Amino acid sequence: MNRTLRIAIPVALGIAVLLMWEALVAAFAVPRIVLPAPSDIGEAFVSDFGTLMAATFVTLRITLIAFVLAVLGGVALAILFAQSRLIETALYPYAVVLQVTPVVAIAPLLTIWIGYDNIEAVTLTLAWIVAFFPVLANTTLGLKSVDRNLIDLFRLYGASRWQILTRLQLPNALPFLLGGMKVSGGLALIGAVVAELAAGSGTSTGLAWILTLATRNLHMGTAFAALALLSALGIAIFFALSALEYWLLHRWHESALKVQT
Amino acid sequence: MTALLSLRAIAKTFDTGTHALGPIDLDVEEGAFVSIVGPSGCGKSTALRVIAGLLKPDSGAVAWPGSKPEIGFVFQEPTLMPWVKTLANVRLPLDLEGTPRAEADARAKTALARVGLAGFENAYPRELSGGMKMRVSIARAIAAAPKLLLMDEPFAALDELTRQALNDDLLTLWREDGMTVLFVTHSVYESTYLSERVVVMSPRPGRIAADIPLAPPQARDAGWRLTPQFASEAAKVSQALKEAMAA
Ligand SMILES: Nc1ncnc2c1ncn2[C@@H]1O[C@H](COP(=O)(O)OP(=O)(O)OP(=O)(O)O)[C@@H](O)[C@H]1O
Ligand SMILES: [Mg+2]
């Protein structure tokens, strides 16, 4: 299937669904507070454009900062784990605890500790917590799954630990890291939204807060517009990370080879 | 001839309790091409890793009557780094030893040309066939001009034709460089074809069951594989291997 068709077909399907949605809402006179028509959503999008964009920006900023910190922290801790068995044994269980504890449950606690007046920091922390683990777990696996013979070869030629880390372990971990980043990019967004919903106050004004307010006031058009923007953010993050992955791996990695054929 | 290395009562038992090797004694003369054959699991790879200094034996010692030489190692798998191009793979030993880039590049290029891969400097490993990858692996091993080349079943995964071509190329490299080669293989014919001495090991824990000198390589020509003398030498090795397995 050629490139144009691969884009044209889903777009056409989307347009068809929107038209049908519009027609059905009109035909059955569905109340707007149950399900707004696409035109209502469009109208809300235009009239609330400023608020929506500001909220998108807040959510995007929190997501990106949390994501970058998760990647940096995850990679740093993974390197530490790969260097020292002792540190790994000591810390890994706690990383797992952080991962398995539902964010929604920690949100109120963090809100108390960090403060109601600083919900953005709470949101950021929560988004970081959910985004951190996939990076840590994948990178650790990648650093450790180096071909044993290659390590022997490096040792044979007197390589230092630093050389083994930078020339062997890190490149070997790169595909694993990128896989983890794709998961954790999505999770950072989910974390940012869930945290804002759970914190439930107006000092952080991201898309989740707009969503909360709009549904409370039965402005369903605005709520759906916020929802659409959240999806768009998620999709953009996913595509950006996929592009990064392709750019870094396509020359040498098997996964990228399959994409080409 | 002086010995390049002497193994004295080398034995190895792994933490798992597997008594893998020895004790074995073995002298390898400088410039020799020695093959080691033995059943799977008898400790051949273990012995090579001990010689290379990658594994500490429980007892005994590896002695280097001269100074410890530069060592090259070729594994059964090509063991290349997929994320760098062929040239950088071949350059690895030189890079790790801190050779200046220009000189390292030149030497790596020469090594690649010597294994018949001139022009493939910029290919990534995944763009090469199995035989070509193995050639890169050999080029990497000879790039740093080792005096001792350890090879652990390097051609076992290749088809017969590629294997024979690589056997001949290896012999050429050996003759030109005068290095010492220790070559582990499962194949009686390969060991007979390549070496001037075949060491036969017993099943685990591997000990030396027979040490068979073969016709000197000077006496060989292109048709060596087809001569009755080759057949009778191979039969000798085969017989010794059978006896080692039965004992
Ligand atoms: N790191 C290790 N830990 C525990 N046991 C090991 C280890 N390496 C090898 N062994 C065991 O030691 C024995 C000898 O292994 P080795 O790899 O030296 O055999 P080999 O002669 O090279 O066999 P093959 O011809 O199949 O390659 C085997 O039983 C193997 O399971
Ligand atoms: Mg082996």
Side-chain angles (χ1 to χ4, degrees), chain B residues 165-181:
Chain B
L166 277 160
N167 281 342
D168 288 330
D169 293 350
L170 176 61
L171 282 178
T172 308
L173 291 173
W174 171 63
R175 286 203 190 94
E176 287 172 1
D177 287 5
M179 58 192 166
T180 309
V181 181

PDB file of all heavy atoms in Angstrom, chain B residues 165-181:
ATOM      1  N   ALA B 165      36.890 -21.942   1.810  1.00  0.00           N
ATOM      2  CA  ALA B 165      37.545 -20.710   1.354  1.00  0.00           C
ATOM      3  C   ALA B 165      38.210 -20.004   2.535  1.00  0.00           C
ATOM      4  O   ALA B 165      39.356 -19.548   2.451  1.00  0.00           O
ATOM      5  CB  ALA B 165      36.518 -19.795   0.695  1.00  0.00           C
ATOM      6  N   LEU B 166      37.492 -19.954   3.657  1.00  0.00           N
ATOM      7  CA  LEU B 166      38.046 -19.282   4.828  1.00  0.00           C
ATOM      8  C   LEU B 166      39.232 -20.047   5.412  1.00  0.00           C
ATOM      9  O   LEU B 166      40.189 -19.451   5.903  1.00  0.00           O
ATOM     10  CB  LEU B 166      36.953 -19.076   5.876  1.00  0.00           C
ATOM     11  CG  LEU B 166      36.120 -17.831   5.603  1.00  0.00           C
ATOM     12  CD1 LEU B 166      34.785 -17.875   6.314  1.00  0.00           C
ATOM     13  CD2 LEU B 166      36.881 -16.579   6.036  1.00  0.00           C
ATOM     14  N   ASN B 167      39.165 -21.386   5.333  1.00  0.00           N
ATOM     15  CA  ASN B 167      40.309 -22.192   5.772  1.00  0.00           C
ATOM     16  C   ASN B 167      41.569 -21.798   5.004  1.00  0.00           C
ATOM     17  O   ASN B 167      42.631 -21.582   5.592  1.00  0.00           O
ATOM     18  CB  ASN B 167      40.038 -23.681   5.545  1.00  0.00           C
ATOM     19  CG  ASN B 167      39.151 -24.284   6.631  1.00  0.00           C
ATOM     20  OD1 ASN B 167      39.002 -23.708   7.700  1.00  0.00           O
ATOM     21  ND2 ASN B 167      38.560 -25.424   6.362  1.00  0.00           N
ATOM     22  N   ASP B 168      41.429 -21.703   3.686  1.00  0.00           N
ATOM     23  CA  ASP B 168      42.597 -21.361   2.861  1.00  0.00           C
ATOM     24  C   ASP B 168      43.095 -19.954   3.169  1.00  0.00           C
ATOM     25  O   ASP B 168      44.304 -19.719   3.274  1.00  0.00           O
ATOM     26  CB  ASP B 168      42.248 -21.489   1.373  1.00  0.00           C
ATOM     27  CG  ASP B 168      42.114 -22.964   0.980  1.00  0.00           C
ATOM     28  OD1 ASP B 168      42.807 -23.800   1.601  1.00  0.00           O
ATOM     29  OD2 ASP B 168      41.312 -23.274   0.083  1.00  0.00           O
ATOM     30  N   ASP B 169      42.149 -19.027   3.316  1.00  0.00           N
ATOM     31  CA  ASP B 169      42.563 -17.652   3.618  1.00  0.00           C
ATOM     32  C   ASP B 169      43.262 -17.571   4.967  1.00  0.00           C
ATOM     33  O   ASP B 169      44.227 -16.830   5.132  1.00  0.00           O
ATOM     34  CB  ASP B 169      41.341 -16.728   3.621  1.00  0.00           C
ATOM     35  CG  ASP B 169      40.747 -16.595   2.236  1.00  0.00           C
ATOM     36  OD1 ASP B 169      41.394 -17.065   1.280  1.00  0.00           O
ATOM     37  OD2 ASP B 169      39.645 -16.037   2.113  1.00  0.00           O
ATOM     38  N   LEU B 170      42.766 -18.345   5.909  1.00  0.00           N
ATOM     39  CA  LEU B 170      43.380 -18.344   7.237  1.00  0.00           C
ATOM     40  C   LEU B 170      44.814 -18.857   7.152  1.00  0.00           C
ATOM     41  O   LEU B 170      45.730 -18.293   7.757  1.00  0.00           O
ATOM     42  CB  LEU B 170      42.548 -19.208   8.189  1.00  0.00           C
ATOM     43  CG  LEU B 170      43.113 -19.375   9.598  1.00  0.00           C
ATOM     44  CD1 LEU B 170      43.236 -18.039  10.301  1.00  0.00           C
ATOM     45  CD2 LEU B 170      42.229 -20.324  10.415  1.00  0.00           C
ATOM     46  N   LEU B 171      45.019 -19.924   6.378  1.00  0.00           N
ATOM     47  CA  LEU B 171      46.375 -20.465   6.225  1.00  0.00           C
ATOM     48  C   LEU B 171      47.308 -19.428   5.596  1.00  0.00           C
ATOM     49  O   LEU B 171      48.464 -19.292   6.005  1.00  0.00           O
ATOM     50  CB  LEU B 171      46.345 -21.740   5.373  1.00  0.00           C
ATOM     51  CG  LEU B 171      45.867 -22.995   6.119  1.00  0.00           C
ATOM     52  CD1 LEU B 171      45.815 -24.191   5.181  1.00  0.00           C
ATOM     53  CD2 LEU B 171      46.782 -23.295   7.308  1.00  0.00           C
ATOM     54  N   THR B 172      46.778 -18.692   4.615  1.00  0.00           N
ATOM     55  CA  THR B 172      47.595 -17.650   3.986  1.00  0.00           C
ATOM     56  C   THR B 172      48.000 -16.581   5.010  1.00  0.00           C
ATOM     57  O   THR B 172      49.170 -16.203   5.101  1.00  0.00           O
ATOM     58  CB  THR B 172      46.797 -16.990   2.845  1.00  0.00           C
ATOM     59  OG1 THR B 172      46.313 -18.021   1.980  1.00  0.00           O
ATOM     60  CG2 THR B 172      47.677 -16.039   2.060  1.00  0.00           C
ATOM     61  N   LEU B 173      47.012 -16.137   5.797  1.00  0.00           N
ATOM     62  CA  LEU B 173      47.311 -15.121   6.817  1.00  0.00           C
ATOM     63  C   LEU B 173      48.367 -15.634   7.785  1.00  0.00           C
ATOM     64  O   LEU B 173      49.290 -14.930   8.173  1.00  0.00           O
ATOM     65  CB  LEU B 173      46.033 -14.766   7.594  1.00  0.00           C
ATOM     66  CG  LEU B 173      44.951 -14.001   6.844  1.00  0.00           C
ATOM     67  CD1 LEU B 173      43.696 -13.897   7.696  1.00  0.00           C
ATOM     68  CD2 LEU B 173      45.457 -12.613   6.473  1.00  0.00           C
ATOM     69  N   TRP B 174      48.211 -16.879   8.175  1.00  0.00           N
ATOM     70  CA  TRP B 174      49.134 -17.485   9.143  1.00  0.00           C
ATOM     71  C   TRP B 174      50.552 -17.526   8.569  1.00  0.00           C
ATOM     72  O   TRP B 174      51.523 -17.170   9.229  1.00  0.00           O
ATOM     73  CB  TRP B 174      48.631 -18.892   9.483  1.00  0.00           C
ATOM     74  CG  TRP B 174      49.582 -19.711  10.284  1.00  0.00           C
ATOM     75  CD1 TRP B 174      50.037 -19.444  11.540  1.00  0.00           C
ATOM     76  CD2 TRP B 174      50.204 -20.942   9.875  1.00  0.00           C
ATOM     77  NE1 TRP B 174      50.888 -20.434  11.954  1.00  0.00           N
ATOM     78  CE2 TRP B 174      51.004 -21.375  10.950  1.00  0.00           C
ATOM     79  CE3 TRP B 174      50.137 -21.727   8.720  1.00  0.00           C
ATOM     80  CZ2 TRP B 174      51.753 -22.547  10.894  1.00  0.00           C
ATOM     81  CZ3 TRP B 174      50.867 -22.898   8.673  1.00  0.00           C
ATOM     82  CH2 TRP B 174      51.674 -23.298   9.737  1.00  0.00           C
ATOM     83  N   ARG B 175      50.667 -17.954   7.296  1.00  0.00           N
ATOM     84  CA  ARG B 175      51.995 -18.042   6.668  1.00  0.00           C
ATOM     85  C   ARG B 175      52.627 -16.658   6.562  1.00  0.00           C
ATOM     86  O   ARG B 175      53.805 -16.479   6.827  1.00  0.00           O
ATOM     87  CB  ARG B 175      51.882 -18.641   5.268  1.00  0.00           C
ATOM     88  CG  ARG B 175      51.630 -20.126   5.297  1.00  0.00           C
ATOM     89  CD  ARG B 175      52.079 -20.792   4.004  1.00  0.00           C
ATOM     90  NE  ARG B 175      51.594 -22.161   3.992  1.00  0.00           N
ATOM     91  CZ  ARG B 175      50.451 -22.520   3.418  1.00  0.00           C
ATOM     92  NH1 ARG B 175      49.713 -21.630   2.796  1.00  0.00           N
ATOM     93  NH2 ARG B 175      50.061 -23.774   3.468  1.00  0.00           N
ATOM     94  N   GLU B 176      51.796 -15.675   6.187  1.00  0.00           N
ATOM     95  CA  GLU B 176      52.349 -14.338   5.975  1.00  0.00           C
ATOM     96  C   GLU B 176      52.795 -13.679   7.283  1.00  0.00           C
ATOM     97  O   GLU B 176      53.797 -12.989   7.334  1.00  0.00           O
ATOM     98  CB  GLU B 176      51.307 -13.444   5.295  1.00  0.00           C
ATOM     99  CG  GLU B 176      51.110 -13.788   3.829  1.00  0.00           C
ATOM    100  CD  GLU B 176      49.934 -13.011   3.207  1.00  0.00           C
ATOM    101  OE1 GLU B 176      49.305 -12.205   3.923  1.00  0.00           O
ATOM    102  OE2 GLU B 176      49.666 -13.239   2.029  1.00  0.00           O
ATOM    103  N   ASP B 177      52.003 -13.894   8.343  1.00  0.00           N
ATOM    104  CA  ASP B 177      52.269 -13.159   9.581  1.00  0.00           C
ATOM    105  C   ASP B 177      53.159 -13.920  10.547  1.00  0.00           C
ATOM    106  O   ASP B 177      53.650 -13.345  11.517  1.00  0.00           O
ATOM    107  CB  ASP B 177      50.950 -12.828  10.284  1.00  0.00           C
ATOM    108  CG  ASP B 177      50.198 -11.733   9.569  1.00  0.00           C
ATOM    109  OD1 ASP B 177      50.680 -11.329   8.497  1.00  0.00           O
ATOM    110  OD2 ASP B 177      49.159 -11.290  10.071  1.00  0.00           O
ATOM    111  N   GLY B 178      53.288 -15.209  10.350  1.00  0.00           N
ATOM    112  CA  GLY B 178      54.088 -16.008  11.271  1.00  0.00           C
ATOM    113  C   GLY B 178      53.531 -16.022  12.685  1.00  0.00           C
ATOM    114  O   GLY B 178      54.263 -16.163  13.655  1.00  0.00           O
ATOM    115  N   MET B 179      52.208 -15.829  12.822  1.00  0.00           N
ATOM    116  CA  MET B 179      51.648 -15.865  14.171  1.00  0.00           C
ATOM    117  C   MET B 179      51.375 -17.310  14.593  1.00  0.00           C
ATOM    118  O   MET B 179      51.439 -18.237  13.787  1.00  0.00           O
ATOM    119  CB  MET B 179      50.357 -15.049  14.230  1.00  0.00           C
ATOM    120  CG  MET B 179      49.296 -15.505  13.269  1.00  0.00           C
ATOM    121  SD  MET B 179      47.963 -14.280  13.183  1.00  0.00           S
ATOM    122  CE  MET B 179      47.123 -14.843  11.707  1.00  0.00           C
ATOM    123  N   THR B 180      51.107 -17.467  15.865  1.00  0.00           N
ATOM    124  CA  THR B 180      50.765 -18.777  16.402  1.00  0.00           C
ATOM    125  C   THR B 180      49.242 -18.882  16.452  1.00  0.00           C
ATOM    126  O   THR B 180      48.586 -17.936  16.882  1.00  0.00           O
ATOM    127  CB  THR B 180      51.329 -18.912  17.830  1.00  0.00           C
ATOM    128  OG1 THR B 180      52.712 -18.559  17.792  1.00  0.00           O
ATOM    129  CG2 THR B 180      51.161 -20.325  18.354  1.00  0.00           C
ATOM    130  N   VAL B 181      48.700 -20.013  15.990  1.00  0.00           N
ATOM    131  CA  VAL B 181      47.245 -20.156  15.994  1.00  0.00           C
ATOM    132  C   VAL B 181      46.840 -21.368  16.825  1.00  0.00           C
ATOM    133  O   VAL B 181      47.385 -22.456  16.660  1.00  0.00           O
ATOM    134  CB  VAL B 181      46.692 -20.314  14.557  1.00  0.00           C
ATOM    135  CG1 VAL B 181      45.174 -20.444  14.592  1.00  0.00           C
ATOM    136  CG2 VAL B 181      47.098 -19.134  13.679  1.00  0.00           C
TER     137      VAL B 181
END
